[in-house]
Amino acid sequence: MKRHLGIIVLITISTLFFNSCDENNNRGTKTKVEEKISNENFDWLLGDWKRNNEEDGKETFEVWTK
């Protein structure tokens, strides 16, 4: 019984592996959400920012550039 279980596990893992190596996968195409995010304008983030919810006695700054 253990041998049959081992063969079944091996076949399952092999099948998953070969299916993940499919050349016709969709990694090169963007979803609609990804296209929308890439087209958004994030210029409002540019500049120097000071974090306003820091602990007392600490200051954190961020500088965003293109």
Side-chain angles (χ1 to χ4, degrees):
M1 182 66 180
K2 287 183 181 181
R3 184 177 176 145
H4 293 293
L5 181 61
I7 291 172
I8 292 171
V9 170
L10 180 63
I11 290 172
T12 303
I13 291 173
S14 298
T15 302
L16 291 172
F17 174 75
F18 287 117
N19 284 337
S20 68
C21 296
D22 184 15
E23 291 181 19
N24 297 325
N25 60 17
N26 294 328
R27 288 188 182 158
T29 59
K30 290 184 178 181
T31 64
K32 289 182 180 182
V33 173
E34 290 172 330
E35 285 182 19
K36 182 178 179 183
I37 289 173
S38 66
N39 291 334
E40 288 185 23
N41 185 355
F42 289 98
D43 285 346
W44 61 271
L45 280 173
L46 300 177
D48 299 332
W49 293 80
K50 180 180 177 184
R51 191 171 158 183
N52 61 4
N53 60 345
E54 193 63 76
E55 297 175 14
D56 291 336
K58 289 178 73 178
E59 291 183 332
T60 303
F61 299 92
E62 297 178 4
V63 178
W64 290 75
T65 60
K66 243 183 183 178

